[in-house]
Amino acid sequence: MTDRRPELLADAPRRAIAIYAHPDDADVSCGGTLASWAEAGSEVHLVVCARGDKGSSDPTTDVSSLVARRAEETAAAAKLLGLAAVHHLGRLDGEFENDAELRAELVSLIRAIRPAALVCPDPLAVFFGEHYYNHRDHRVVGFAALDAASPAASSPLYFPDSGAPVAVEVAYLSGSLEPTVFVDVGPTIVRKADAILCHKTQLGETGEWFRSVVHERAEEAGRLAGVAYAESFRRIRLGP
Ligand SMILES: [Zn+2]
């Protein structure tokens, strides 16, 4: 056991790309961090790989209107967080793979945006206690994002028609069972909750009640980091 306090990230990357599976994933996983970085002057891009087309338990759901509503919800949340842009890749929930086609699209975006930092799900986080295991789309996207950032985006012989190579310096993996760094989200926790509450199609009857859950989760991470509210990440240094 060590009593060394975990590292709190001090600096915001100049540009960042957050790559997630579903329309609400980034807000839940790292919305406070993305808002903090945007506020500090970062250009923060969000990539949403899937349409959110299976995000309903009602079998009579009109899928195309659900997808349209979810895109609107994502745009509203991104505006609250101060994101520079949202890029939708339009995959079907539960039906896409970490294949060359997905990685080529991600490499194109990474090479166009040229981010210093990647934020994505920790694909090794599978089981959370006895009651939840991680959605396969989160695991697929975590590996695809990492594979796209390194070595693909930085290597000229990978996807040579997808832009000039760029070395992403660092990846921050959210939802990790082994977090190594924390971001103080005290100044942005309310906005994070506001952003999550934009996703009305996903809230069902919970509504405003979910706000306290968002705060409690950030308090848990904050206790480990020595601040009121935090988000935690496993950091992987990709650059030289
Ligand atoms: Zn999700």
Side-chain angles (χ1 to χ4, degrees):
M1 279 288 282
T2 171
D3 60 3
R4 198 168 68 87
R5 182 157 279 180
E7 182 179 339
L8 266 180
L9 286 183
D11 297 323
R14 200 174 58 264
R15 280 190 294 276
I17 188 168
I19 301 177
Y20 282 86
H22 308 121
D24 55 335
D25 288 352
D27 302 324
V28 173
S29 305
C30 59
T33 297
L34 301 185
S36 296
W37 288 353
E39 198 164 80
S42 297
E43 181 184 319
V44 182
H45 291 253
L46 170 61
V47 180
V48 179
C49 295
R51 295 182 197 177
D53 53 287
K54 295 186 181 62
S56 171
S57 53
D58 177 357
T60 66
T61 297
D62 178 332
V63 171
S64 60
S65 74
L66 172 65
V67 169
R69 281 186 68 196
R70 297 200 68 180
E72 287 167 15
E73 292 167 352
T74 308
K79 195 171 175 194
L80 281 178
L81 298 181
L83 306 190
V86 182
H87 310 266
H88 291 276
L89 301 191
R91 297 295 194 280
L92 295 173
D93 286 13
E95 299 185 33
F96 62 93
E97 303 295 339
N98 172 12
D99 55 19
E101 191 187 351
L102 177 59
R103 290 193 297 280
E105 279 188 72
L106 294 175
V107 165
S108 289
L109 284 165
I110 291 168
R111 287 179 178 165
I113 295 163
R114 310 190 81 70
L118 161 70
V119 189
C120 67
D122 184 339
L124 293 185
V126 180
F127 300 109
F128 296 84
E130 293 186 346
H131 298 286
Y132 179 68
Y133 65 92
N134 206 355
H135 194 296
R136 57 89 65 187
D137 292 351
H138 303 164
R139 291 178 272 126
V140 169
V141 165
F143 276 123
L146 287 165
D147 293 343
S150 180
S154 63
S155 306
L157 298 184
Y158 282 79
F159 310 111
D161 301 328
S162 299
V166 61
V168 180
E169 293 164 23
V170 61
Y172 296 108
L173 312 187
S174 64
S176 182
L177 297 170
E178 298 172 66
T180 54
V181 295
F182 292 75
V183 173
D184 181 353
V185 297
T188 54
I189 186 68
V190 172
R191 243 179 305 152
K192 171 180 179 162
D194 289 342
I196 294 171
L197 288 168
C198 287
H199 297 276
K200 291 190 173 53
T201 57
Q202 303 306 294
L203 293 170
E205 301 301 311
T206 57
E208 286 292 319
W209 163 84
F210 196 70
R211 193 176 284 280
S212 60
V213 176
V214 174
H215 279 73
E216 281 162 24
R217 285 185 190 160
E219 277 169 3
E220 273 175 41
R223 273 194 288 278
L224 297 173
V227 294
Y229 300 104
E231 288 172 346
S232 67
F233 302 91
R234 183 205 297 260
R235 177 173 57 194
I236 305 291
R237 297 185 191 278
L238 305 174

